[in-house]
Amino acid sequence: MPSASSTQDAQRQHELVVVANRLPVDSRTLPDGATEWVTSPGGLVTAMESVMRTVDSGAWVGWGGTAGEAPEPFEADGMSLYPVRLDQEDVERYYEGFSNATLWPLYHDVIVDPEFHRTWWDSYLSANRRFAEAAAPVAAPGGTIWVHDYQLQLVPQMIRAKRSDVRIGFFNHIPFPSVELFSQLPKRNSILRGLLGADLLGFQRESDSLNFVSAVRRLLGYHVEGMTIFVPGLGASPVREVQVQTFPISIDSAAVSALTEDPQIRERAAQLRRDLGDPAKIVLGVDRLDYTKGIRHRLKAWGELLDDGLIDPHDAVMIQVATPSRERVEAYRQLRDEVELTVGRINGEHAPIGRPAVSYQHHSFDRRDMTAMFMAADVVLVTALRDGMNLVAKEYVASRPDLHGVLVLSEFAGAADELRAAVMVNPHDIDELKAAILRSLAMPAEEQEEAMRSLRHQVMEHDVQTWAHNFLQQLEESGDPEPAVTPTIHLTGETPSEAGEVETALTAFAEVPRLLIASDFDGVIAPIVSDRDAVQPDAAALTALRELSELPGVAVALVSGRALADLDSHTRMPSSVVLVGSHGAEVGALPPWMQAEVLDQSSLTMTEQKEELLASITATLRRIARAHPGTEVETKPTAAVLHTRNAKGRGSINATESALEYAMTLPDVTVTPGKEVVEFAVVPTSKGAAVDTLARASAADAWLYLGDDVTDESVFAQLGDRDLGLKVGGGDTAARLRIADTEAVRGVLQRLLELRGQRR
Ligand code: ADQ
């Protein structure tokens, strides 16, 4: 990659933002302290680079490869790059630890034992948060964020929490294990939920997609139809659909194929054969030095063939390119030792003087050298024990427009699903592997051509551009993102509004011809008490409400989370005051002048099915309550409520967490967390919808609402210009005015009565 320039305006917004563990460039510190950027190797970089070039405004968020402070964002190759900081401890715990010593072995069928430490998880969580925080602000409104791979599985959900207006895609480059294996992973449900923050989840093979869907079904209990997962939302937010689909990744096939026309590269391939002593056959393996790639199995087979005298080292040479990888992880150090010991032993026993039996290369090559090697190779061995896709297999095929050469391919590599004309092997079966190598070495030219033609058809037709295009197109089709719902916050902190400000607002409001005055009950008309049944409403406030309801052009309502009967028994209001219970699910008698037909109660009707659901929710909440002393369950006609106000110690937090976890499994239930309560309603409810309906039923020109709880925000959120929202007590709110407490509420209601009374 050419030298990069730091830009002042790099922090702009982009249509497409790629988030991956690594940037497509590596930082290097020069002797004079300056930073130099060079293209970093690896399948993902190769894949995405060509895609990003086709986008007008693309950004890439990732780590630069060096621990410590991250450089400022900069531009390179027409892309904006946003480096993410990883400290040495993050590198050890998030990257080498949880990503490469926990997830990597587990997702690759536990070829080595996964290790787990809780500190690694903590670091994974905080590093994922840093990537999400870097990515969320740089996406344009309605833009697309594409998150890559197992290191960043929590990022989709974290981005969604900040930016519900963007499309979020996730692609997993490595396999997704069977649910039996995946279940071993500590924090497995957090990982699933993290991924389900995406709109579209892509996997390499059909089996990976199916494994993921069944993990979600089994471990989270979410409803699944085909490859669509229904993720339940909390509160009034609807169920979200997440699509799961298979997108086998590929390479820039035309570019690789074109390199083979280059005379210099052709010459390099010929030179390579001469350097090896002009053997009749060259067998090639190219891998990151990783235990998943089956390098040991391959060397064992090759060594045995030499031992058995079935291969003459004068006729055939094996080249093993093993790129250095994750050298600080113990399993990789051991692997390197073993591989190098085996190569040494084979060469010691079999190499003729002056040339190797196995030429072992533990370093990187550039694309041109790599292509020369593929052009020289008569057989390429891809013997992965488990591999997401394996791009080497496809690169070899793209490098053979001459239709010569044989690909030996493990059935455990994702590429096996597409490259059906390869010589398929089970690499665990060393005898089978040996037979496959011998068969490939002896394969007649016509047979090679026939197989290679079929392989090339597949690889040239399905390149990485098509892969990315298909993914992004599917993401586009996977439903319009929600409009940016930035809950409008007008007031923060606790300081009440100026008295004069409240007075001016009340005076203007009292002049409106037809009014609706609505109020929450607990915390507004009555101070909060620990025993809900011992609540003491403010008598003067209730009197003011009653008298207001008797004035012409004024409708009055009490809107509460309490059950209707409960609200009624604590307020004893005349029929001129409308009582709304259970967050809007229950509405009491209406005064005759209200238009009852506006109230569409159909969705609130209880069916037998809803009764059953409510019974099972109540039973589960009771179980949670038993485990957390002091918490209790209240039952209402359409809802069950867990009250945690009187729980001991962390009981309130723990019980709430259990309840919300349980809520995730209930797609059709409206779950409303409030002040130390969580309500599960089997009919759709919201105080906001209730007040809106009442305003229409009373033909009000404007309404006033008094509320103290988070559940009241659904009302404040829909305040119109003439409406008046008064938040009682502290906390962020969409209301425009704040008053201190129930005493202040009494003052407001009495003042309103006065102002409106004067109007008569
Ligand atoms: P990797 O495990 O890195 O990728 P692979 O698909 O084989 O595996 O890609 C490796 C890339 O590195 C190839 O492009 C290869 O040519 C190149 N490479 C290897 N050794 C090299 C060397 N010494 N010098 C230069 N280049 C070298 C992960 C998954 C795979 C999946 C890819 C892409 O593990 O299963 O195919 O992502 O999704």
Side-chain angles (χ1 to χ4, degrees):
M1 182 165 292
S3 66
S5 64
S6 178
T7 57
Q8 294 295 315
D9 66 342
Q11 185 88 24
R12 40 197 182 94
Q13 293 203 310
H14 308 270
E15 289 308 317
L16 175 61
V17 179
V18 167
V19 192
N21 177 56
R22 293 294 288 269
L23 283 175
V25 290
D26 275 337
S27 70
R28 278 206 200 129
T29 311
L30 299 172
D32 65 356
T35 305
E36 179 194 49
W37 294 95
V38 288
T39 307
S40 63
L44 172 61
V45 172
T46 326
M48 289 310 295
E49 234 183 354
S50 53
V51 175
M52 293 300 267
R53 262 183 255 130
T54 64
V55 181
D56 274 350
S57 169
W60 191 308
V61 175
W63 177 44
T66 309
E69 267 322 300
E72 287 302 306
F74 61 96
E75 303 271 323
D77 256 10
M79 235 192 293
S80 298
L81 305 189
Y82 294 85
V84 174
R85 176 176 59 80
L86 289 186
D87 296 330
Q88 189 51 37
E89 194 179 84
D90 297 317
V91 175
E92 285 163 19
R93 296 178 176 180
Y94 146 74
Y95 180 65
E96 293 166 358
F98 196 75
S99 296
N100 287 331
T102 307
L103 293 171
W104 179 271
L106 189 76
Y107 281 33
H108 287 89
D109 286 1
V110 287
I111 296 167
V112 308
D113 283 340
E115 220 185 297
F116 179 73
H117 300 285
R118 276 167 285 183
T119 51
W120 290 2
W121 166 255
D122 294 342
S123 183
Y124 186 80
L125 197 67
S126 67
N128 269 246
R129 194 165 294 126
R130 225 167 302 143
F131 280 89
E133 279 166 3
V138 301
T144 296
I145 301 185
W146 188 356
V147 185
H148 289 264
D149 231 1
Y150 63 102
Q151 303 95 343
L152 303 178
Q153 293 174 98
L154 306 177
V155 170
Q157 188 189 34
M158 290 172 170
I159 293 178
R160 179 164 296 281
K162 294 175 187 296
R163 292 292 303 271
S164 56
D165 67 308
V166 297
R167 290 193 168 83
I168 306 170
F170 179 91
F171 185 77
N172 200 48
H173 289 258
I174 68 172
F176 196 87
S178 68
V179 60
E180 286 75 16
L181 281 181
F182 182 75
S183 300
Q184 293 179 11
L185 181 65
K187 313 295 176 194
R188 59 196 189 190
N189 287 6
S190 300
I191 296 275
L192 293 178
R193 279 197 214 103
L195 289 168
L196 289 170
D199 298 293
L200 173 65
L201 289 162
F203 293 92
Q204 301 273 32
R205 302 181 94 159
E206 203 57 36
S207 53
D208 300 323
S209 300
L210 292 169
N211 283 347
F212 176 77
V213 169
S214 62
V216 169
R217 194 189 285 127
R218 291 261 290 275
L219 298 173
L220 296 182
Y222 290 176
H223 178 61
V224 171
E225 273 173 30
M227 298 307 258
T228 305
I229 297 169
F230 295 83
V231 178
L234 279 184
S237 44
V239 171
R240 218 165 43 76
E241 290 182 20
V242 177
Q243 303 296 332
V244 178
Q245 206 174 312
T246 308
F247 299 91
I249 199 172
S250 191
I251 57 167
D252 192 349
S253 317
V256 174
S257 195
L259 281 180
T260 63
E261 305 291 327
D262 186 320
Q264 275 180 345
I265 295 178
R266 285 166 175 251
E267 175 47 31
R268 241 181 257 185
Q271 184 62 42
L272 180 63
R273 188 173 287 272
R274 288 197 289 276
D275 290 346
L276 289 169
D278 238 340
K281 296 284 179 184
I282 295 175
V283 174
L284 175 66
V286 176
D287 315 82
R288 269 188 314 100
L289 188 42
D290 194 298
Y291 49 79
T292 59
K293 302 290 183 181
I295 303 171
R296 279 178 293 206
H297 294 64
R298 194 182 308 164
L299 288 173
K300 188 163 181 57
W302 190 252
E304 284 188 15
L305 287 170
L306 289 164
D307 291 344
D308 300 345
L310 293 169
I311 287 179
D312 180 347
H314 294 90
D315 285 348
V317 174
M318 178 176 188
I319 305 174
Q320 177 60 55
V321 177
T323 323
S325 185
R326 304 174 192 169
E327 297 191 299
R328 289 158 46 93
V329 179
E330 183 53 31
Y332 289 76
R333 284 196 205 138
Q334 278 181 20
L335 174 71
R336 180 175 177 190
D337 287 349
E338 273 180 56
V339 165
E340 295 186 352
L341 201 72
T342 311
V343 169
R345 189 186 59 73
I346 296 175
N347 278 331
E349 285 176 15
H350 299 287
I353 288 183
R355 57 191 266 198
V358 176
S359 166
Y360 171 73
Q361 308 293 325
H362 185 245
H363 53 88
S364 266
F365 291 90
D366 68 18
R367 259 300 113 224
R368 300 167 66 83
D369 281 338
M370 202 63 94
T371 307
M373 261 187 273
F374 286 134
M375 290 174 75
D378 300 285
V379 176
V380 163
L381 299 178
V382 173
T383 57
L385 305 176
R386 181 54 82 194
D387 210 338
M389 176 53 58
N390 196 292
L391 298 181
V392 169
K394 295 190 173 181
E395 285 163 358
Y396 180 49
V397 171
S399 307
R400 299 314 301 239
D402 61 353
L403 304 181
H404 288 307
V406 183
L407 174 65
V408 175
L409 180 58
S410 161
E411 62 192 64
F412 298 103
D417 282 356
E418 296 167 278
L419 304 184
R420 307 302 307 166
V423 175
M424 293 293 175
V425 284
N426 168 9
H428 295 277
D429 186 337
I430 302 292
D431 289 332
E432 188 185 320
L433 185 52
K434 285 160 72 179
I437 294 173
L438 288 179
R439 192 183 136 209
S440 304
L441 287 172
M443 191 182 282
E446 314 82 74
E447 203 182 322
Q448 291 186 27
E449 275 174 30
E450 194 182 322
M452 194 54 89
R453 187 171 289 115
S454 149
L455 292 171
R456 277 186 68 78
H457 181 72
Q458 175 67 31
V459 172
M460 301 311 289
E461 291 284 304
H462 300 95
D463 60 8
V464 70
Q465 287 84 353
T466 323
W467 168 79
H469 175 83
N470 289 347
F471 184 94
L472 291 170
Q473 189 171 347
Q474 186 59 42
L475 182 54
E476 182 121 338
E477 286 166 11
S478 65
D480 277 333
E482 301 154 32
V485 275
T486 22
T488 339
I489 292 175
H490 289 123
L491 298 174
T492 57
E494 310 203 340
T495 323
S497 310
E498 297 287 332
E501 222 186 322
V502 177
E503 172 68 15
T504 311
L506 292 179
T507 312
F509 182 73
E511 287 304 314
V512 173
R514 296 184 69 85
L515 297 178
L516 167 67
I517 296 168
S519 174
D520 181 19
F521 178 66
D522 291 274
V524 177
I525 300 297
I528 300 271
V529 284
S530 52
D531 178 1
R532 282 178 306 118
D533 295 329
V535 67
Q536 293 285 343
D538 185 299
L542 285 181
T543 306
L545 279 178
R546 191 182 308 118
E547 292 181 7
L548 277 165
S549 73
E550 285 156 9
L551 296 179
V554 180
V556 174
L558 276 171
V559 182
S560 172
R562 284 181 187 255
L564 183 62
D566 189 7
L567 184 64
D568 186 28
S569 75
H570 285 108
T571 57
R572 297 267 162 241
M573 284 283 121
S575 61
S576 54
V577 173
V578 183
L579 297 185
V580 178
S582 304
H583 295 114
E586 298 178 276
V587 183
L590 296 182
W593 53 269
M594 269 208 193
Q595 296 165 317
E597 65 279 9
V598 172
L599 265 72
D600 173 15
Q601 297 281 67
S602 58
S603 64
L604 303 182
T605 315
M606 286 295 279
T607 58
E608 201 176 314
Q609 219 178 1
K610 284 180 181 170
E611 296 284 4
E612 275 171 24
L613 179 59
L614 184 56
S616 111
I617 291 171
T618 307
T620 305
L621 292 186
R622 288 208 167 116
R623 260 199 304 281
I624 294 175
R626 274 199 295 279
H628 302 281
T631 63
E632 52 182 326
V633 177
E634 179 198 0
T635 52
K636 301 193 215 168
T638 57
V641 190
L642 180 72
H643 291 270
T644 61
R645 189 167 294 144
N646 298 323
K648 313 273 177 299
R650 280 184 54 80
S652 170
I653 297 172
N654 293 344
T656 304
E657 271 180 12
S658 306
L660 292 179
E661 178 118 336
Y662 170 55
M664 295 291 195
T665 65
L666 301 167
D668 300 326
V669 173
T670 308
V671 179
T672 318
K675 268 189 193 163
E676 302 186 275
V677 294
V678 188
E679 172 165 315
F680 289 66
V682 294
V683 297
T685 58
S686 108
K687 287 182 176 178
V691 169
D692 180 56
T693 312
L694 287 177
R696 281 187 289 121
S698 56
D701 303 308
W703 49 262
L704 171 145
Y705 187 76
L706 291 146
D708 72 316
D709 195 2
V710 282
T711 59
D712 297 311
E713 290 302 316
S714 64
V715 186
F716 293 138
Q718 53 191 32
L719 282 165
D721 289 345
R722 304 179 81 182
D723 306 327
L724 191 52
L726 290 150
K727 165 86 174 174
V728 182
D732 292 356
T733 180
R736 293 210 177 255
L737 293 170
R738 187 192 305 282
I739 55 174
D741 47 23
T742 49
E743 214 170 302
V745 171
R746 184 204 306 150
V748 163
L749 293 174
Q750 289 176 335
R751 181 69 186 134
L752 258 182
L753 185 62
E754 231 172 81
L755 290 166
R756 188 72 181 187
Q758 287 164 5
R759 196 174 169 266
R760 247 198 296 186

